[in-house]
Amino acid sequence: MKAPLKRSNAPIFWALFGAGGMLSALIGPMLVFITGLALPLGLLLPADTMSYPKMLAFAQNFIGKGFIFAVIALFLWHAAHRIFHSLHDIGIHAGTGAKLLCYGSALLGTLIAAYALLAIGF
Amino acid sequence: MSEMQKTIEIEVLRYHPEKDKEPHRQVFEVPFTDDMSVLQGVQYIKDYLDGSLSFRWSCRMAICGSCGMMINGVPNLSCQTFLRDYYPARVRVEALAHFPIERDLVINMEGFIEKLESIQPYIIPKEERTLAQGEYLQTPEQLNAYEQFSSCINCLLCYAACPQFGLNSSFIGPAATALLHRYNVDSRDGGKAERMELINSEEGVFNCTAVGYCSEVCPKHVDPANAVNQNKTNSAADYFLRFLAPKGGAK
């Protein structure tokens, strides 16, 4: 007799992975360009685009908060899922340990982001 | 035989379970003509050089799915792979990857047969009909929904190609999922909920990391990767929406 089938909880992680993948594909390159190239090199954008008062106002705005939270949390879940499966592919089958480490750090990052965004006020 | 006769080296992975501790390689010098397949090459070896060589084959025209082998490391049907494409280099022929070897190029496909049975690969009628009610009718559109996935010949090339099946042989795998999908999307079938339990399980579609090599090696263009990934969406929807479904979705 074969063991009865156990329902996989993968859809939770797969959905977060998918959402993060979609978001990073849509806005990841743009964010890299703005924060990593355009501003440091003084291209296209006003020099004070990411100045402290502007970014604070952005993070205190309800929509800005949501944006920052989605980018940090979903990117993390996407990365955690990809790293977890890549570990498996290169022969590291740490199982629960790797799972806890990968998804645990994504969860930790998510909680820290949520806390920081709430702490910074509205 | 003229002096124009070309010969090619065929390196074969040999394994005799009663004599050998582990598989080893043996090289044969095989005369060939441009129209000879790799299958004909190993048939030449069996007929004229070493009658103990074991391999499966039947139709010689990519229909039966028996003669799948690793040819220079790539899963392929040996009947549709030609020696001329490798000449003058040596051709390496091995049993399909990721399966236990029974003998030489013959693999043990018992695990796959069990999977095939587990997906219930037959129509479970949505509504019982008597003979008097006539046949189950289907529109061309309803046929299109599953036809592509019904072309599988169980050659197992997709399993030899799948790195995830190689790492975890309990994964239901590409061909079985494609066939499962073929019945689930058939308008006459009513067995979807039962089959979804397998899709949703730990042996199910989420073992797949969307490599896509299964579809690349498929000799019948079934595109099993498509079936697997469509069912990730189906399974995720079932996972999150099952509490809203009238019957609670699949278990």
Side-chain angles (χ1 to χ4, degrees), chain A residues 3-9, chain B residues 197-198 200-204 251:
Chain A
L5 295 172
K6 192 166 165 259
R7 187 171 191 127
S8 167
N9 59 12
Chain B
E197 284 179 38
L198 202 56
N200 297 337
S201 74
E202 306 230 303
E203 290 79 36
K251 259 177 266 169

Side-chain angles (χ1 to χ4, degrees), chain A residues 2 4-15 85 88-91 93, chain B residues 164 167 197-198 200-203 206 209 232-233 236 238-240 242 250-251:
Chain A
K2 281 186 81 173
L5 295 172
K6 192 166 165 259
R7 187 171 191 127
S8 167
N9 59 12
I12 300 171
F13 304 105
W14 182 76
H85 279 277
H88 181 68
D89 288 346
I90 58 171
H93 312 305
Chain B
Q164 296 306 332
L167 290 166
E197 284 179 38
L198 202 56
N200 297 337
S201 74
E202 306 230 303
E203 290 79 36
F206 288 102
T209 51
K232 283 184 191 169
T233 314
D238 186 74
Y239 188 88
F240 293 111
R242 67 190 136 144
K251 259 177 266 169

Side-chain angles (χ1 to χ4, degrees), chain B residues 187-229:
Chain B
S187 60
R188 298 163 293 181
D189 184 87
K192 186 174 179 179
E194 284 171 59
R195 297 196 194 92
M196 281 309 284
E197 284 179 38
L198 202 56
I199 290 284
N200 297 337
S201 74
E202 306 230 303
E203 290 79 36
V205 287
F206 288 102
N207 286 283
C208 166
T209 51
V211 175
Y213 193 30
C214 54
S215 293
E216 234 174 90
V217 301
C218 178
K220 307 309 278 186
H221 309 291
V222 170
D223 200 356
N226 180 313
V228 172
N229 286 286

